[in-house]
Amino acid sequence: TEFSIHLFIDSCIIICLEVLNKLLEGIQQDDNNAQDEHAHFMHMAIPRIGIGMDSSVTPLRHGGLSLVQTTDFFYPLVDDPYMMGKIACANVLSDLYAMGVTECDNMLMLLGVSTKMTEKERDVVVPLIMRGFKDSALEAGTTVTGGQTVVNPWCTIGGVASTVCQPNEYIVPDNAVVGDVLVLTKPLGTQVAVNAHQWLDQPERWNRIKLVVSEDDVRKAYQRSMDSMARLNRIAARLMHKYNAHGATDVTGFGLLGHAQNLARHQKNEVSFVIHNLPVIAKMAAVAKACGNMFQLLQGHSAETSGGLLICLPREQAAAYCKDIEKQEGYQAWIIGIVEKGNRTARIIDKPRVIEVPAKEKDGELW
């Protein structure tokens, strides 16, 4: 039955998360032993930030500074190589921004060139991906100074982002308190939009969704998702300091709920997150619903790529944060939930309010 399929998908996602967390805990154990030895040598307390969080924070030997570092890579999901490069770079940087870090000192590029491409395809596609990645890095105020390129069957693009910080330049994501609210800085639905766009050329798939969405709707949703994925979370990170954020994470492959649960798990206080509102790229909630349990968008399991920051903010400052980000970026942010007393879990209510983004179509405008 549909209900049992739903439960099966839910349990598969939970098992996948649990397996990854167990593997990461094993690495963390080794890492903790090394840190204990390092701390003894340094005669100082070392914050253990790394495994399971968005970026690793490594205290350096020099003057109270820390190295904040992250890496990520994935396969192409849009058909524009230049935009793919931009999205990949924004996705790498997003993990720094989730820690409140706004300056990146250096980037490395990781590029897998596909053996399945013809020479002509490689000559066109690869330089465009690289240019998109470098342009996004430039927009972030950093540069790409190296990396690694391999030839293999899969086209992949990603990188490493590194920065040296003083303690006040990053926000450890573990200070949520009861009464905080949850803010999201980009709409959900990127995976749904990308898939729907691919289905325009697949009649058997298109027939499943054509009753709830037009071809023009799908093309516009695809453009919106590309625009959203390529957008940096840098201003969102800068404003986290201004409005006293208590922690954040970025929403990517594990979907909104997966990342919310991971953030909740790392809190010092006994809190839980409850999500009431789901901002979704226009028409994509209807598409997801027409596909049954394929995406699990409204359950919070739909993968996002280079999604927004999910931020714990003091209730009295959250509205001002959203107003400020709209003023500076021209894009909306939303209060989507609350922090309540609990056992470090996260959940979405049974019937969350879906917010269509944008609320109204404007001729000639994307948002």
Side-chain angles (χ1 to χ4, degrees), residues 158-188:
V160 178
S162 308
T163 195
V164 175
C165 287
Q166 294 177 331
N168 66 332
E169 291 179 282
Y170 62 87
I171 297 169
V172 181
D174 63 0
N175 286 307
V177 298
V178 174
D180 279 355
V181 297
L182 302 170
V183 166
L184 183 66
T185 66
K186 287 185 188 179
L188 307 167

Side-chain angles (χ1 to χ4, degrees), residues 11 20 27 38 44 52 90 96 132 134 137 142 155-156 161 164 221 235 268 271 356 361:
S11 60
L20 279 173
I27 300 169
H38 185 57
M44 62 188 285
L96 289 187
K134 285 158 88 172
T142 188
C155 181
T156 57
V164 175
I235 291 170
K268 285 191 295 200
V271 295
E356 294 274 304
E361 290 289 332

